[in-house]
Amino acid sequence: MSTAAVETLVAIGDQADGVRCDMAMPLMNDVFAKTRGDRAGAAPAEDFWPNVIPRVRERHPDLLFVAEAYWDLDAEFG
């Protein structure tokens, strides 16, 4: 899951110290379900960010992720 996203973020980490993740919240399964319902099909088996971030940090442990977050969900991004 999310192989292309991981590869892209690793490539960014090869060139920069951080990455800005606009519209990060809609990729969270619970937020997607609340805002889109079942109109887009079933949610993925794994939530996007908890799957992607650790895989990127294997290569770039200090890469700064700056996520757009609201609704008091900023803690969800660590």
Side-chain angles (χ1 to χ4, degrees):
M1 174 182 159
S2 311
T3 301
V6 171
E7 290 173 357
T8 300
L9 289 165
V10 165
I12 291 170
D14 290 342
Q15 303 173 54
D17 296 330
V19 60
R20 177 179 160 161
C21 306
D22 291 340
M23 297 300 292
M25 287 181 49
L27 295 175
M28 298 168 63
N29 285 356
D30 59 338
V31 172
F32 193 88
K34 288 177 190 174
T35 58
R36 306 297 190 286
D38 60 359
R39 295 183 304 262
E46 296 179 308
D47 218 343
F48 184 81
W49 293 112
N51 180 30
V52 168
I53 291 173
R55 292 169 55 199
V56 173
R57 291 206 189 275
E58 289 174 8
R59 175 88 176 265
H60 298 289
D62 297 323
L63 183 66
L64 176 65
F65 287 83
V66 179
E68 176 183 37
Y70 38 91
W71 299 334
D72 295 324
L73 292 173
D74 49 317
E76 298 292 323
F77 294 96

Short mmCIF file of all heavy atoms in Angstrom, two decimals, residues 16-76:
data_model
loop_
_atom_site.label_atom_id
_atom_site.label_comp_id
_atom_site.label_asym_id
_atom_site.label_seq_id
_atom_site.Cartn_x
_atom_site.Cartn_y
_atom_site.Cartn_z
N ALA A 16 15.53 17.49 0.62
CA ALA A 16 15.04 18.52 1.54
C ALA A 16 14.98 17.98 2.97
O ALA A 16 15.05 16.79 3.20
CB ALA A 16 13.65 18.97 1.10
N ASP A 17 14.83 18.91 3.91
CA ASP A 17 14.75 18.55 5.32
C ASP A 17 13.31 18.33 5.79
O ASP A 17 13.08 17.85 6.88
CB ASP A 17 15.36 19.65 6.19
CG ASP A 17 16.84 19.81 5.94
OD1 ASP A 17 17.50 18.82 5.58
OD2 ASP A 17 17.34 20.94 6.10
N GLY A 18 12.35 18.72 4.95
CA GLY A 18 10.96 18.61 5.36
C GLY A 18 10.03 18.61 4.16
O GLY A 18 10.43 18.92 3.05
N VAL A 19 8.79 18.25 4.44
CA VAL A 19 7.78 18.20 3.39
C VAL A 19 6.45 18.71 3.97
O VAL A 19 6.09 18.38 5.10
CB VAL A 19 7.62 16.78 2.80
CG1 VAL A 19 7.20 15.78 3.84
CG2 VAL A 19 6.65 16.76 1.64
N ARG A 20 5.78 19.55 3.21
CA ARG A 20 4.48 20.07 3.61
C ARG A 20 3.41 19.17 3.00
O ARG A 20 3.39 18.94 1.79
CB ARG A 20 4.33 21.50 3.09
CG ARG A 20 2.99 22.10 3.39
CD ARG A 20 2.95 23.52 2.88
NE ARG A 20 1.57 23.93 2.74
CZ ARG A 20 1.19 25.19 2.67
NH1 ARG A 20 2.10 26.15 2.74
NH2 ARG A 20 -0.06 25.50 2.52
N CYS A 21 2.53 18.66 3.83
CA CYS A 21 1.50 17.72 3.40
C CYS A 21 0.13 18.40 3.46
O CYS A 21 -0.59 18.28 4.45
CB CYS A 21 1.52 16.47 4.27
SG CYS A 21 3.12 15.66 4.36
N ASP A 22 -0.19 19.16 2.42
CA ASP A 22 -1.50 19.81 2.36
C ASP A 22 -2.58 18.75 2.20
O ASP A 22 -2.36 17.71 1.60
CB ASP A 22 -1.55 20.78 1.19
CG ASP A 22 -0.66 22.00 1.40
OD1 ASP A 22 -0.32 22.28 2.55
OD2 ASP A 22 -0.31 22.65 0.41
N MET A 23 -3.72 19.04 2.74
CA MET A 23 -4.87 18.13 2.66
C MET A 23 -4.52 16.75 3.22
O MET A 23 -4.91 15.71 2.67
CB MET A 23 -5.39 18.02 1.22
CG MET A 23 -5.92 19.33 0.68
SD MET A 23 -7.30 19.98 1.64
CE MET A 23 -8.58 18.79 1.31
N ALA A 24 -3.78 16.72 4.31
CA ALA A 24 -3.37 15.46 4.93
C ALA A 24 -4.53 14.73 5.59
O ALA A 24 -4.59 13.50 5.59
CB ALA A 24 -2.26 15.71 5.96
N MET A 25 -5.44 15.47 6.16
CA MET A 25 -6.54 14.86 6.91
C MET A 25 -7.46 13.98 6.08
O MET A 25 -7.86 12.92 6.54
CB MET A 25 -7.34 15.93 7.64
CG MET A 25 -6.58 16.49 8.83
SD MET A 25 -7.52 17.74 9.72
CE MET A 25 -9.09 16.96 9.97
N PRO A 26 -7.84 14.36 4.85
CA PRO A 26 -8.75 13.50 4.10
C PRO A 26 -8.19 12.10 3.81
O PRO A 26 -8.93 11.21 3.45
CB PRO A 26 -8.99 14.27 2.81
CG PRO A 26 -8.79 15.70 3.19
CD PRO A 26 -7.67 15.66 4.19
N LEU A 27 -6.87 11.92 3.98
CA LEU A 27 -6.29 10.60 3.77
C LEU A 27 -6.42 9.70 5.00
O LEU A 27 -6.07 8.52 4.94
CB LEU A 27 -4.81 10.73 3.38
CG LEU A 27 -4.59 11.42 2.03
CD1 LEU A 27 -3.10 11.63 1.79
CD2 LEU A 27 -5.20 10.61 0.91
N MET A 28 -6.91 10.25 6.09
CA MET A 28 -7.15 9.45 7.30
C MET A 28 -8.49 8.72 7.12
O MET A 28 -9.49 9.34 6.76
CB MET A 28 -7.18 10.35 8.53
CG MET A 28 -5.87 11.08 8.76
SD MET A 28 -5.98 12.40 10.00
CE MET A 28 -6.41 11.46 11.46
N ASN A 29 -8.50 7.43 7.36
CA ASN A 29 -9.71 6.63 7.12
C ASN A 29 -10.94 7.18 7.82
O ASN A 29 -12.01 7.26 7.22
CB ASN A 29 -9.48 5.18 7.53
CG ASN A 29 -8.64 4.42 6.53
OD1 ASN A 29 -8.26 4.93 5.49
ND2 ASN A 29 -8.32 3.19 6.88
N ASP A 30 -10.81 7.56 9.10
CA ASP A 30 -11.99 8.02 9.82
C ASP A 30 -12.49 9.36 9.29
O ASP A 30 -13.70 9.57 9.17
CB ASP A 30 -11.74 8.07 11.33
CG ASP A 30 -10.58 8.97 11.73
OD1 ASP A 30 -9.70 9.24 10.88
OD2 ASP A 30 -10.56 9.39 12.90
N VAL A 31 -11.59 10.26 8.91
CA VAL A 31 -12.00 11.54 8.34
C VAL A 31 -12.64 11.33 6.97
O VAL A 31 -13.68 11.91 6.66
CB VAL A 31 -10.81 12.52 8.25
CG1 VAL A 31 -11.20 13.78 7.49
CG2 VAL A 31 -10.30 12.86 9.64
N PHE A 32 -12.05 10.48 6.18
CA PHE A 32 -12.60 10.19 4.86
C PHE A 32 -14.02 9.62 4.99
O PHE A 32 -14.93 10.02 4.28
CB PHE A 32 -11.70 9.21 4.10
CG PHE A 32 -12.04 9.11 2.64
CD1 PHE A 32 -11.47 9.97 1.73
CD2 PHE A 32 -12.94 8.16 2.18
CE1 PHE A 32 -11.78 9.89 0.38
CE2 PHE A 32 -13.25 8.07 0.83
CZ PHE A 32 -12.67 8.94 -0.07
N ALA A 33 -14.20 8.71 5.93
CA ALA A 33 -15.52 8.10 6.13
C ALA A 33 -16.55 9.14 6.57
O ALA A 33 -17.70 9.12 6.11
CB ALA A 33 -15.42 6.98 7.16
N LYS A 34 -16.15 10.06 7.45
CA LYS A 34 -17.07 11.08 7.93
C LYS A 34 -17.45 12.08 6.84
O LYS A 34 -18.56 12.59 6.83
CB LYS A 34 -16.46 11.83 9.11
CG LYS A 34 -16.38 11.03 10.37
CD LYS A 34 -15.70 11.84 11.45
CE LYS A 34 -15.40 10.98 12.66
NZ LYS A 34 -14.62 11.69 13.66
N THR A 35 -16.52 12.36 5.95
CA THR A 35 -16.78 13.39 4.95
C THR A 35 -17.28 12.84 3.62
O THR A 35 -17.93 13.56 2.86
CB THR A 35 -15.52 14.25 4.70
OG1 THR A 35 -14.45 13.39 4.28
CG2 THR A 35 -15.11 14.99 5.95
N ARG A 36 -16.96 11.60 3.31
CA ARG A 36 -17.35 11.02 2.02
C ARG A 36 -18.32 9.84 2.16
O ARG A 36 -18.92 9.43 1.19
CB ARG A 36 -16.12 10.51 1.24
CG ARG A 36 -15.02 11.51 1.01
CD ARG A 36 -15.45 12.68 0.16
NE ARG A 36 -14.37 13.54 -0.27
CZ ARG A 36 -13.70 14.40 0.48
NH1 ARG A 36 -13.95 14.48 1.75
NH2 ARG A 36 -12.77 15.17 -0.04
N GLY A 37 -18.41 9.30 3.36
CA GLY A 37 -19.28 8.15 3.56
C GLY A 37 -18.85 6.97 2.71
O GLY A 37 -17.67 6.77 2.46
N ASP A 38 -19.80 6.21 2.24
CA ASP A 38 -19.47 5.04 1.42
C ASP A 38 -19.49 5.36 -0.08
O ASP A 38 -19.38 4.48 -0.91
CB ASP A 38 -20.41 3.89 1.74
CG ASP A 38 -21.86 4.24 1.48
OD1 ASP A 38 -22.16 5.38 1.07
OD2 ASP A 38 -22.71 3.36 1.69
N ARG A 39 -19.60 6.64 -0.41
CA ARG A 39 -19.65 7.04 -1.83
C ARG A 39 -18.37 6.71 -2.59
O ARG A 39 -18.37 6.63 -3.81
CB ARG A 39 -19.96 8.53 -1.95
CG ARG A 39 -21.35 8.90 -1.44
CD ARG A 39 -21.62 10.39 -1.66
NE ARG A 39 -20.62 11.23 -1.03
CZ ARG A 39 -20.75 11.82 0.16
NH1 ARG A 39 -21.85 11.65 0.85
NH2 ARG A 39 -19.80 12.58 0.64
N ALA A 40 -17.27 6.55 -1.87
CA ALA A 40 -15.98 6.27 -2.52
C ALA A 40 -15.54 4.83 -2.32
O ALA A 40 -14.42 4.48 -2.64
CB ALA A 40 -14.92 7.22 -2.00
N GLY A 41 -16.40 3.99 -1.78
CA GLY A 41 -16.04 2.59 -1.56
C GLY A 41 -15.49 2.35 -0.17
O GLY A 41 -15.48 3.24 0.67
N ALA A 42 -15.04 1.15 0.04
CA ALA A 42 -14.54 0.75 1.35
C ALA A 42 -13.21 1.43 1.66
O ALA A 42 -12.41 1.71 0.76
CB ALA A 42 -14.37 -0.76 1.40
N ALA A 43 -12.98 1.66 2.93
CA ALA A 43 -11.71 2.25 3.37
C ALA A 43 -10.59 1.25 3.19
O ALA A 43 -10.80 0.03 3.25
CB ALA A 43 -11.82 2.65 4.84
N PRO A 44 -9.37 1.74 2.97
CA PRO A 44 -8.23 0.83 2.90
C PRO A 44 -8.06 0.06 4.21
O PRO A 44 -8.50 0.52 5.26
CB PRO A 44 -7.04 1.77 2.68
CG PRO A 44 -7.62 3.03 2.14
CD PRO A 44 -8.99 3.13 2.73
N ALA A 45 -7.41 -1.06 4.15
CA ALA A 45 -7.20 -1.88 5.35
C ALA A 45 -6.34 -1.16 6.38
O ALA A 45 -6.53 -1.33 7.58
CB ALA A 45 -6.55 -3.21 4.97
N GLU A 46 -5.39 -0.35 5.91
CA GLU A 46 -4.51 0.39 6.82
C GLU A 46 -4.69 1.89 6.58
O GLU A 46 -4.85 2.33 5.44
CB GLU A 46 -3.05 0.03 6.57
CG GLU A 46 -2.72 -1.42 6.88
CD GLU A 46 -1.26 -1.73 6.60
OE1 GLU A 46 -0.81 -1.43 5.47
OE2 GLU A 46 -0.60 -2.25 7.49
N ASP A 47 -4.60 2.65 7.66
CA ASP A 47 -4.67 4.10 7.54
C ASP A 47 -3.41 4.61 6.84
O ASP A 47 -2.32 4.06 7.02
CB ASP A 47 -4.81 4.73 8.92
CG ASP A 47 -5.73 5.92 8.94
OD1 ASP A 47 -6.03 6.48 7.87
OD2 ASP A 47 -6.16 6.30 10.05
N PHE A 48 -3.53 5.63 6.04
CA PHE A 48 -2.46 6.11 5.17
C PHE A 48 -1.21 6.58 5.94
O PHE A 48 -0.12 6.04 5.75
CB PHE A 48 -2.98 7.24 4.28
CG PHE A 48 -1.99 7.75 3.29
CD1 PHE A 48 -1.78 7.07 2.10
CD2 PHE A 48 -1.26 8.90 3.54
CE1 PHE A 48 -0.85 7.53 1.17
CE2 PHE A 48 -0.34 9.37 2.62
CZ PHE A 48 -0.14 8.68 1.44
N TRP A 49 -1.35 7.60 6.78
CA TRP A 49 -0.18 8.19 7.42
C TRP A 49 0.55 7.26 8.37
O TRP A 49 1.78 7.21 8.34
CB TRP A 49 -0.54 9.52 8.09
CG TRP A 49 -0.92 10.56 7.07
CD1 TRP A 49 -2.15 11.11 6.87
CD2 TRP A 49 -0.06 11.15 6.09
NE1 TRP A 49 -2.11 11.99 5.82
CE2 TRP A 49 -0.84 12.04 5.32
CE3 TRP A 49 1.29 11.00 5.76
CZ2 TRP A 49 -0.31 12.79 4.28
CZ3 TRP A 49 1.81 11.75 4.71
CH2 TRP A 49 1.02 12.63 4.00
N PRO A 50 -0.14 6.51 9.23
CA PRO A 50 0.60 5.57 10.10
C PRO A 50 1.34 4.49 9.32
O PRO A 50 2.28 3.89 9.83
CB PRO A 50 -0.49 4.96 10.98
CG PRO A 50 -1.59 5.95 10.98
CD PRO A 50 -1.56 6.57 9.60
N ASN A 51 0.95 4.25 8.10
CA ASN A 51 1.63 3.29 7.24
C ASN A 51 2.81 3.96 6.51
O ASN A 51 3.90 3.38 6.42
CB ASN A 51 0.64 2.71 6.23
CG ASN A 51 1.27 1.70 5.31
OD1 ASN A 51 2.22 1.01 5.67
ND2 ASN A 51 0.77 1.62 4.11
N VAL A 52 2.60 5.15 6.02
CA VAL A 52 3.60 5.81 5.17
C VAL A 52 4.76 6.41 5.98
O VAL A 52 5.93 6.21 5.63
CB VAL A 52 2.92 6.90 4.31
CG1 VAL A 52 3.94 7.80 3.65
CG2 VAL A 52 2.03 6.24 3.26
N ILE A 53 4.46 7.15 7.03
CA ILE A 53 5.51 7.88 7.75
C ILE A 53 6.62 6.97 8.26
O ILE A 53 7.80 7.26 8.04
CB ILE A 53 4.91 8.77 8.85
CG1 ILE A 53 4.12 9.92 8.21
CG2 ILE A 53 6.01 9.32 9.78
CD1 ILE A 53 3.35 10.78 9.19
N PRO A 54 6.32 5.86 8.93
CA PRO A 54 7.43 5.01 9.40
C PRO A 54 8.28 4.46 8.25
O PRO A 54 9.50 4.30 8.41
CB PRO A 54 6.73 3.87 10.14
CG PRO A 54 5.40 4.40 10.50
CD PRO A 54 5.03 5.38 9.41
N ARG A 55 7.69 4.18 7.13
CA ARG A 55 8.44 3.66 5.99
C ARG A 55 9.37 4.73 5.42
O ARG A 55 10.50 4.43 5.01
CB ARG A 55 7.47 3.13 4.93
CG ARG A 55 6.74 1.87 5.44
CD ARG A 55 5.59 1.44 4.57
NE ARG A 55 5.95 1.24 3.18
CZ ARG A 55 5.08 1.21 2.18
NH1 ARG A 55 3.78 1.40 2.43
NH2 ARG A 55 5.46 1.00 0.95
N VAL A 56 8.93 5.98 5.41
CA VAL A 56 9.80 7.07 4.95
C VAL A 56 10.92 7.31 5.96
O VAL A 56 12.07 7.51 5.60
CB VAL A 56 8.98 8.37 4.72
CG1 VAL A 56 9.89 9.54 4.40
CG2 VAL A 56 7.95 8.16 3.62
N ARG A 57 10.58 7.23 7.25
CA ARG A 57 11.58 7.47 8.30
C ARG A 57 12.67 6.39 8.34
O ARG A 57 13.73 6.62 8.91
CB ARG A 57 10.90 7.59 9.65
CG ARG A 57 10.08 8.87 9.75
CD ARG A 57 9.94 9.31 11.19
NE ARG A 57 9.00 10.38 11.34
CZ ARG A 57 9.29 11.67 11.18
NH1 ARG A 57 10.49 12.02 10.82
NH2 ARG A 57 8.37 12.59 11.37
N GLU A 58 12.45 5.24 7.74
CA GLU A 58 13.51 4.24 7.64
C GLU A 58 14.70 4.81 6.88
O GLU A 58 15.85 4.49 7.18
CB GLU A 58 13.00 2.98 6.93
CG GLU A 58 12.03 2.17 7.74
CD GLU A 58 11.43 1.02 6.97
OE1 GLU A 58 11.86 0.74 5.82
OE2 GLU A 58 10.49 0.39 7.50
N ARG A 59 14.44 5.63 5.90
CA ARG A 59 15.49 6.24 5.07
C ARG A 59 15.87 7.63 5.56
O ARG A 59 17.02 8.03 5.49
CB ARG A 59 15.00 6.29 3.62
CG ARG A 59 15.89 6.99 2.66
CD ARG A 59 16.94 6.06 2.04
NE ARG A 59 17.71 6.79 1.04
CZ ARG A 59 17.44 6.78 -0.25
NH1 ARG A 59 16.45 6.06 -0.73
NH2 ARG A 59 18.17 7.48 -1.07
N HIS A 60 14.88 8.36 6.05
CA HIS A 60 15.09 9.75 6.49
C HIS A 60 14.46 9.93 7.87
O HIS A 60 13.37 10.49 7.99
CB HIS A 60 14.47 10.74 5.50
CG HIS A 60 15.08 10.67 4.14
ND1 HIS A 60 16.36 11.12 3.88
CD2 HIS A 60 14.60 10.20 2.97
CE1 HIS A 60 16.64 10.93 2.61
NE2 HIS A 60 15.59 10.35 2.03
N PRO A 61 15.16 9.48 8.93
CA PRO A 61 14.55 9.52 10.28
C PRO A 61 14.23 10.92 10.79
O PRO A 61 13.36 11.06 11.66
CB PRO A 61 15.60 8.84 11.16
CG PRO A 61 16.85 8.83 10.38
CD PRO A 61 16.48 8.89 8.93
N ASP A 62 14.89 11.93 10.27
CA ASP A 62 14.66 13.30 10.75
C ASP A 62 13.84 14.16 9.80
O ASP A 62 13.72 15.37 10.02
CB ASP A 62 16.01 13.97 11.03
CG ASP A 62 16.78 13.27 12.14
OD1 ASP A 62 16.14 12.80 13.10
OD2 ASP A 62 18.02 13.16 12.02
N LEU A 63 13.28 13.57 8.76
CA LEU A 63 12.47 14.34 7.82
C LEU A 63 11.28 14.95 8.56
O LEU A 63 10.55 14.24 9.26
CB LEU A 63 11.98 13.47 6.67
CG LEU A 63 11.19 14.19 5.57
CD1 LEU A 63 12.08 15.18 4.82
CD2 LEU A 63 10.58 13.20 4.60
N LEU A 64 11.11 16.24 8.41
CA LEU A 64 10.01 16.95 9.06
C LEU A 64 8.77 16.89 8.17
O LEU A 64 8.81 17.27 7.01
CB LEU A 64 10.40 18.42 9.30
CG LEU A 64 9.33 19.32 9.89
CD1 LEU A 64 8.97 18.86 11.30
CD2 LEU A 64 9.82 20.75 9.89
N PHE A 65 7.68 16.38 8.73
CA PHE A 65 6.39 16.37 8.05
C PHE A 65 5.56 17.50 8.64
O PHE A 65 5.34 17.54 9.85
CB PHE A 65 5.64 15.05 8.28
CG PHE A 65 6.21 13.88 7.55
CD1 PHE A 65 7.30 13.18 8.06
CD2 PHE A 65 5.67 13.46 6.35
CE1 PHE A 65 7.82 12.09 7.39
CE2 PHE A 65 6.18 12.37 5.67
CZ PHE A 65 7.27 11.69 6.19
N VAL A 66 5.10 18.41 7.80
CA VAL A 66 4.23 19.49 8.24
C VAL A 66 2.87 19.23 7.61
O VAL A 66 2.72 19.29 6.39
CB VAL A 66 4.78 20.87 7.81
CG1 VAL A 66 3.85 21.98 8.26
CG2 VAL A 66 6.18 21.08 8.36
N ALA A 67 1.91 18.90 8.45
CA ALA A 67 0.59 18.50 7.95
C ALA A 67 -0.45 19.57 8.25
O ALA A 67 -0.44 20.18 9.32
CB ALA A 67 0.16 17.18 8.58
N GLU A 68 -1.33 19.76 7.32
CA GLU A 68 -2.49 20.60 7.53
C GLU A 68 -3.47 19.79 8.37
O GLU A 68 -3.90 18.72 7.95
CB GLU A 68 -3.10 20.95 6.17
CG GLU A 68 -4.36 21.76 6.26
CD GLU A 68 -4.95 22.02 4.89
OE1 GLU A 68 -4.88 21.13 4.01
OE2 GLU A 68 -5.48 23.11 4.70
N ALA A 69 -3.77 20.29 9.56
CA ALA A 69 -4.68 19.55 10.45
C ALA A 69 -5.59 20.52 11.18
O ALA A 69 -5.18 21.59 11.59
CB ALA A 69 -3.88 18.72 11.45
N TYR A 70 -6.81 20.13 11.37
CA TYR A 70 -7.79 20.91 12.11
C TYR A 70 -8.73 19.93 12.80
O TYR A 70 -8.49 18.73 12.78
CB TYR A 70 -8.53 21.91 11.20
CG TYR A 70 -8.86 21.38 9.82
CD1 TYR A 70 -10.06 20.75 9.56
CD2 TYR A 70 -7.94 21.49 8.78
CE1 TYR A 70 -10.35 20.25 8.30
CE2 TYR A 70 -8.23 21.00 7.52
CZ TYR A 70 -9.44 20.38 7.28
OH TYR A 70 -9.72 19.88 6.04
N TRP A 71 -9.80 20.40 13.40
CA TRP A 71 -10.73 19.58 14.17
C TRP A 71 -10.02 18.89 15.33
O TRP A 71 -10.35 17.78 15.73
CB TRP A 71 -11.44 18.53 13.31
CG TRP A 71 -12.28 19.06 12.20
CD1 TRP A 71 -12.88 20.27 12.13
CD2 TRP A 71 -12.61 18.37 11.00
NE1 TRP A 71 -13.57 20.38 10.94
CE2 TRP A 71 -13.42 19.22 10.23
CE3 TRP A 71 -12.30 17.12 10.50
CZ2 TRP A 71 -13.93 18.87 8.99
CZ3 TRP A 71 -12.81 16.76 9.26
CH2 TRP A 71 -13.60 17.63 8.53
N ASP A 72 -8.98 19.53 15.88
CA ASP A 72 -8.20 18.98 17.01
C ASP A 72 -7.57 17.63 16.70
O ASP A 72 -7.38 16.81 17.58
CB ASP A 72 -9.06 18.90 18.27
CG ASP A 72 -9.49 20.26 18.77
OD1 ASP A 72 -8.68 21.22 18.67
OD2 ASP A 72 -10.62 20.40 19.27
N LEU A 73 -7.23 17.39 15.44
CA LEU A 73 -6.63 16.11 15.06
C LEU A 73 -5.12 16.20 14.86
O LEU A 73 -4.50 15.24 14.39
CB LEU A 73 -7.28 15.58 13.77
CG LEU A 73 -8.73 15.16 13.91
CD1 LEU A 73 -9.33 14.81 12.56
CD2 LEU A 73 -8.86 13.98 14.85
N ASP A 74 -4.50 17.32 15.25
CA ASP A 74 -3.07 17.46 15.03
C ASP A 74 -2.25 16.38 15.75
O ASP A 74 -1.21 15.94 15.26
CB ASP A 74 -2.58 18.85 15.41
CG ASP A 74 -3.04 19.29 16.78
OD1 ASP A 74 -4.22 19.07 17.11
OD2 ASP A 74 -2.22 19.87 17.52
N ALA A 75 -2.72 15.89 16.88
CA ALA A 75 -2.00 14.84 17.61
C ALA A 75 -1.95 13.53 16.83
O ALA A 75 -1.07 12.70 17.05
CB ALA A 75 -2.63 14.61 18.97
N GLU A 76 -2.88 13.33 15.91
CA GLU A 76 -2.91 12.10 15.11
C GLU A 76 -1.70 11.96 14.20
O GLU A 76 -1.38 10.89 13.74
CB GLU A 76 -4.18 12.06 14.25
CG GLU A 76 -5.46 12.04 15.03
CD GLU A 76 -5.66 10.74 15.78
OE1 GLU A 76 -5.30 9.67 15.25
OE2 GLU A 76 -6.19 10.80 16.89
#
